[in-house]
């Protein structure tokens, strides 16, 4: 754990490191916050009261109804444990606040966040590896192995999944029927053919009023996230030996496929950095959209269906996991924290949590439970995502992933604007190599 007397050195070394950088204003706020932690204390500095250990859990769960479900389940844990009480605190997804708590030696006991934060927390020696504990846990065989895999780095398991989800293709059955399409696409070739049939220029002016597919446009994480199933389906990668590797056949093929949809004229780009918005799908301007079960489409009044992401070399999709980290505090507090994590992974928790929020269960017994199967009967489209769990892969969790994702997103964006795919990826790879050499 980084000590307070070396705080200034650490902060400035991180500020000048291109892999972990903050705006200057954020740096000042960070330093100020650290001193507030030192002199005023922190809400995570909990202690035993009358023999009860209070553990602080920071979470940024949204929307609020999901947070309510989680807090209800936390309260159930508290009611059944006389010696441990978990205090669930909404802290948002504020990375500077989290890192401030770490360098100020005042972290929460449990942190709910994206697994992509793992590399940074590991570099700061801020989290506890969990593989030894999990290997001894009787319920480990109940958990989806590939969902756990996303939390593995350098031979250790650094978090456990609170929830999972994945990407599929939403489509408008009415538009498929009007185009005479009776078979859902299962391969890239079939998807491309279907997208062409669904692209219609009704007035003959050369500008279609309806497109087959909406292609996420921009350099942000949403673009990278929704592109990842195509990468994985091509046996591609973007990291090798903890270093960026964008120049491989799978990565090239995945970007090329998106570019080809645009060249065909059967795909249209989203508004920049807003590929998650559903307006074009709901209005009928596009017949297919890449997204997940959190989408507003499922709450809208339009006709819709979902099919698995079509495959190139193998079936694949990408996980959207939320995980729980055990922060380094004291052995006694860490031991108590593991009891809560065991509860979160249980069939009971995962069933109620998944039904209440729409996330997918990480526990296979939960997915097969009578209660969850009844839920699937009420929302049959969810079965597509549940069935995809075994073929879902994760994004990298190395330190510097945000920078890697940024340059990869730029390469995808440039390719969608017409730049040759290999050239776009090579330029991004060259820049990333300079950054990694300077670490």
């Amino acid at each position: 754990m980084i000590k307070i007397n070396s705080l200034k050195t650490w902060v400035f070394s991180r500020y000048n490191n291109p892999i972990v950088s903050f705006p200057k204003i954020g740096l000042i706020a960070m330093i100020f916050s650290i001193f507030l932690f030192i002199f005023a204390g922190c809400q995570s500095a909990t202690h035993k009261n009358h023999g009860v250990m209070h553990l602080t859990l920071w979470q940024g769960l949204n929307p609020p109804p999901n947070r309510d479900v989680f807090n209800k389940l936390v309260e159930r844990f508290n009611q059944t444990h006389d010696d441990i009480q978990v205090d669930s605190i909404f802290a948002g997804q504020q990375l500077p606040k989290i890192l401030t708590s770490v360098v100020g030696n005042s972290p929460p006991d449990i942190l709910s966040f994206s697994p992509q934060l793992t590399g940074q927390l590991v570099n700061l020696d801020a989290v506890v590896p969990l593989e030894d504990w999990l290997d001894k846990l009787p319920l480990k065989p109940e958990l989806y192995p590939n969902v756990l895999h996303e939390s593995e780095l350098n031979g250790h398991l650094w978090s456990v999944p609170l929830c999972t989800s994945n990407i599929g293709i939403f489509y408008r059955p009415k538009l498929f029927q009007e185009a005479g399409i009776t078979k859902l696409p299962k391969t890239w070739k079939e998807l491309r053919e279907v997208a062409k049939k669904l692209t219609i220029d009704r007035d003959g002016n050369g500008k279609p009023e309806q497109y087959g597919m909406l292609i996420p446009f921009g350099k942000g994480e949403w673009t990278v996230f929704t592109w990842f199933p195509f990468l994985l389906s091509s046996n591609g990668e973007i990291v090798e030996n903890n270093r960026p590797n964008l120049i491989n056949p799978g990565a090239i093929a995945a970007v090329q496929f998106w570019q080809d949809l645009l060249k065909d004229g059967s795909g249209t780009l989203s508004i920049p950095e807003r590929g998650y918005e559903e307006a074009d799908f709901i209005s009928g301007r596009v017949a297919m959209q890449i997204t997940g079960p959190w989408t507003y489409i499922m709450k809208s009044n339009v006709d819709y269906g979902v099919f698995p992401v079509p495959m190139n070399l193998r079936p694949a999709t990408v996980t959207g996991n939320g995980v729980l980290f055990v922060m380094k505090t004291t052995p006694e507090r860490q031991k108590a924290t593991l009891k809560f994590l065991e509860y979160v992974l249980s069939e009971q928790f995962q069933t109620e949590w998944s039904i209440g929020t729409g996330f997918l269960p990480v526990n296979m017994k939960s997915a097969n439970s009578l209660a969850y199967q009844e839920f699937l009967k009420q929302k049959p489209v969810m079965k597509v995502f549940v069935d995809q769990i075994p073929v879902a892969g994760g994004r990298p969790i190395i330190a510097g992933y945000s920078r890697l994702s940024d340059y990869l997103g730029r390469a995808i964006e440039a390719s969608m604007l017409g730049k040759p795919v290999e050239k776009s990826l090579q330029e991004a790879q060259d820049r990333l190599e300079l950054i990694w050499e300077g670490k």
Side-chain angles (χ1 to χ4, degrees):
M1 183 74 68
I2 296 175
K3 303 301 181 182
I4 296 299
N5 57 16
S6 62
L7 174 61
K8 185 179 295 186
T9 300
W10 180 88
V11 169
F12 279 96
S13 69
R14 283 303 182 272
Y15 175 69
N16 290 312
N17 187 339
I19 297 298
V20 186
S21 62
F22 303 99
K24 290 184 179 179
I25 241 181
L27 178 65
I28 295 169
M30 184 177 177
I31 296 172
F32 178 70
S33 297
I34 290 169
F35 283 103
L36 287 180
F37 275 121
I38 295 170
F39 292 111
C42 169
Q43 59 192 3
S44 67
T46 55
H47 57 277
K48 283 186 176 181
N49 290 324
H50 307 295
V52 178
M53 179 177 290
H54 284 262
L55 302 175
T56 301
L57 186 158
W58 284 2
Q59 46 84 6
L61 297 172
N62 274 311
N66 287 356
R67 201 182 313 150
D68 293 340
V69 174
F70 181 75
N71 288 335
K72 176 183 175 182
L73 289 165
V74 170
E75 184 56 32
R76 183 174 300 166
F77 174 87
N78 291 339
Q79 291 171 356
T80 55
H81 291 75
D82 295 332
D83 58 337
I84 305 170
Q85 296 288 285
V86 175
D87 301 324
S88 174
I89 298 170
F90 182 74
Q93 298 290 300
Q94 301 179 46
L95 183 57
K97 178 178 180 178
I98 293 166
L99 298 180
T100 295
S101 74
V102 169
V103 301
N105 284 336
S106 53
D109 294 287
I110 311 167
L111 174 65
S112 171
F113 209 81
S114 159
Q116 277 61 54
L117 182 60
T118 302
Q120 282 182 271
L121 294 178
V122 170
N123 281 359
L124 294 175
D125 192 27
V127 286
V128 178
L130 302 174
E131 66 275 2
D132 290 342
W133 162 75
L134 188 61
D135 286 343
K136 298 173 185 176
L137 208 60
L139 62 70
K140 183 184 178 183
E142 300 173 13
L143 308 176
Y144 286 101
N146 56 319
V147 175
L148 288 172
H149 180 67
E150 187 177 3
S151 294
E152 295 174 355
L153 181 66
N154 301 332
H156 295 288
L157 181 77
W158 296 104
S159 63
V160 296
L162 165 64
C163 56
T164 189
S165 197
N166 57 61
I167 289 284
I169 308 290
F170 280 73
Y171 72 101
R172 293 289 301 272
K174 180 181 178 182
L175 301 182
F176 271 54
Q177 184 179 7
E178 290 174 353
I181 300 168
T182 58
K183 181 182 176 182
L184 296 175
K186 295 183 178 180
T187 66
W188 283 11
K189 179 183 178 182
E190 291 174 355
L191 179 61
R192 197 169 171 183
E193 291 171 351
V194 165
K196 287 181 181 178
K197 290 181 180 179
L198 289 163
T199 300
I200 302 172
D201 179 9
R202 294 187 177 90
D203 59 12
N205 68 353
K207 295 181 180 180
E209 289 77 33
Q210 177 182 303
Y211 288 89
M213 174 76 77
L214 183 70
I215 303 295
F217 181 60
K219 60 181 181 296
E221 185 62 19
W222 179 260
T223 297
V224 174
F225 178 54
T226 49
W227 171 81
F228 234 79
F230 300 88
L231 170 77
L232 297 175
S233 183
S234 303
N235 291 327
E237 58 189 12
I238 59 170
V239 169
E240 185 175 10
N241 297 322
N242 287 346
R243 294 178 65 90
N245 173 28
L246 305 185
I247 307 300
N248 60 82
I252 294 169
V255 180
Q256 188 66 57
F257 180 69
W258 275 21
Q259 189 185 76
D260 288 343
L261 284 171
L262 291 174
K263 287 182 177 178
D264 289 345
S266 54
T268 185
L269 294 174
S270 73
I271 296 172
E273 310 301 350
R274 291 165 70 177
Y276 51 84
E277 293 187 350
E278 305 94 343
D280 285 340
F281 181 91
I282 291 173
S283 70
R285 182 170 180 263
V286 297
M288 295 182 287
Q289 181 163 356
I290 310 165
T291 188
W294 52 81
T295 176
Y296 174 76
I297 292 169
M298 293 182 63
K299 298 178 181 178
S300 71
N301 294 321
V302 301
D303 63 302
Y304 71 89
V306 184
F307 58 86
V309 178
M311 61 174 281
N312 182 20
L313 302 179
R314 64 180 178 90
T317 187
V318 62
T319 55
N321 287 354
V323 301
L324 297 175
F325 296 98
V326 177
M327 308 300 285
K328 280 195 173 179
T329 51
T330 67
E332 185 181 25
R333 302 183 71 78
Q334 290 165 193
K335 184 178 180 180
T337 294
L338 294 175
K339 292 183 180 181
F340 179 75
L341 264 59
E342 182 176 0
Y343 167 70
V344 167
L345 295 173
S346 70
E347 176 187 351
Q348 176 189 9
F349 179 100
Q350 285 295 316
T351 301
E352 189 165 342
W353 167 245
S354 300
I355 291 174
T357 63
F359 287 118
L360 308 179
V362 304
N363 186 307
M364 288 181 278
K365 287 182 68 175
S366 171
N368 293 321
S369 68
L370 288 176
Y372 193 72
Q373 289 300 310
E374 283 298 317
F375 170 74
L376 291 182
K377 288 180 182 179
Q378 298 171 23
K379 293 191 174 183
V381 295
M382 293 297 295
K383 191 174 185 303
V384 173
F385 300 102
V386 174
D387 290 347
Q388 283 192 128
I389 294 177
V391 300
R395 290 163 289 163
I397 60 173
I398 61 171
Y401 170 73
S402 60
R403 186 59 61 91
L404 166 58
S405 175
D406 178 58
Y407 279 102
L408 171 59
R410 291 172 187 270
I412 296 172
E413 180 183 62
S415 297
M416 297 308 101
L417 292 175
K419 181 178 283 191
V421 170
E422 290 192 49
K423 183 176 181 181
S424 298
L425 290 172
Q426 186 63 62
E427 289 178 357
Q429 179 67 25
D430 291 344
R431 292 188 178 98
L432 287 167
E433 285 177 358
L434 291 174
I435 292 170
W436 253 254
E437 290 300 326
K439 286 179 66 174

